[in-house]
Amino acid sequence: MGRALLLSLASCLLVVSRATLIHRCDLAKVLHTEELDGFEGYSLSDWLCLAFVESNFNISKVNENADGSSDYGIFQLNSHYWCNDYQSHSENLCQVDCQDVLDPNLLSAIHCAKKIVSGSGGMRNWVEWRLHCAGRPLSHWMTGCRLG
């Protein structure tokens, strides 16, 4: 009984250790540097809310979907439309490998997210943003963050 519990705990720790988490204010600084504050009318708070509801600030998150596609990175970019994972059909509209979207420097993920937001629907392309961020007060996402 004790051995099974120990193995279970060990496997949980392995999963947790694979997560590459970024602190909210560190993400705000990167997004600010990449000129996302006000990009297509969206504030840094919108971007932070998006990253939280999609990945809980987990840069390395990969989520497999029922349709065979996967969602990648901090913004959960879908392999069917936005990036190529070489496992499912992809339109690869961002012209990027899905593995590149998982890079801790976030540049590939940000470049692709900017492309999505620039298109029709803006951030409304993300269901979780529509459900949890759109039309809500979001200024608290920047609380305590210094950009300078």
Side-chain angles (χ1 to χ4, degrees):
M1 181 77 150
R3 189 175 189 181
L5 178 61
L6 184 61
L7 287 173
S8 177
L9 286 172
S11 66
C12 287
L13 290 173
L14 286 173
V15 171
V16 170
S17 69
R18 287 191 202 136
T20 306
L21 303 178
I22 187 169
H23 186 275
R24 175 179 54 87
C25 291
D26 291 336
L27 178 58
K29 287 176 190 171
V30 172
L31 297 174
H32 179 74
T33 300
E34 294 303 313
E35 300 180 347
L36 287 175
D37 193 13
F39 183 80
E40 297 292 340
Y42 295 99
S43 68
L44 286 180
S45 293
D46 282 302
W47 289 97
L48 292 173
C49 186
L50 172 66
F52 179 77
V53 298
E54 286 294 337
S55 69
N56 204 20
F57 301 129
N58 183 352
I59 296 168
S60 59
K61 181 177 181 182
V62 178
N63 183 55
E64 295 177 13
N65 300 310
D67 67 0
S69 69
S70 294
D71 298 326
Y72 289 85
I74 198 158
F75 300 123
Q76 290 293 279
L77 305 171
N78 185 268
S79 63
H80 180 74
Y81 299 103
W82 305 110
C83 62
N84 194 346
D85 65 359
Y86 303 97
Q87 296 174 29
S88 59
H89 167 75
S90 178
E91 294 181 37
N92 196 9
L93 296 171
C94 288
Q95 299 295 302
V96 66
D97 287 353
C98 293
Q99 288 300 313
D100 291 345
V101 169
L102 303 175
D103 192 304
N105 74 19
L106 296 173
L107 296 180
S108 291
I110 289 170
H111 175 78
C112 187
K114 285 172 100 172
K115 183 173 188 106
I116 296 168
V117 168
S118 296
S120 66
M123 279 197 184
R124 294 195 167 279
N125 285 296
W126 284 274
V127 173
E128 294 300 313
W129 183 86
R130 287 195 316 257
L131 293 174
H132 303 288
C133 307
R136 297 179 185 226
L138 300 175
S139 61
H140 66 278
W141 286 103
M142 290 296 296
T143 301
C145 299
R146 295 198 178 123
L147 300 177

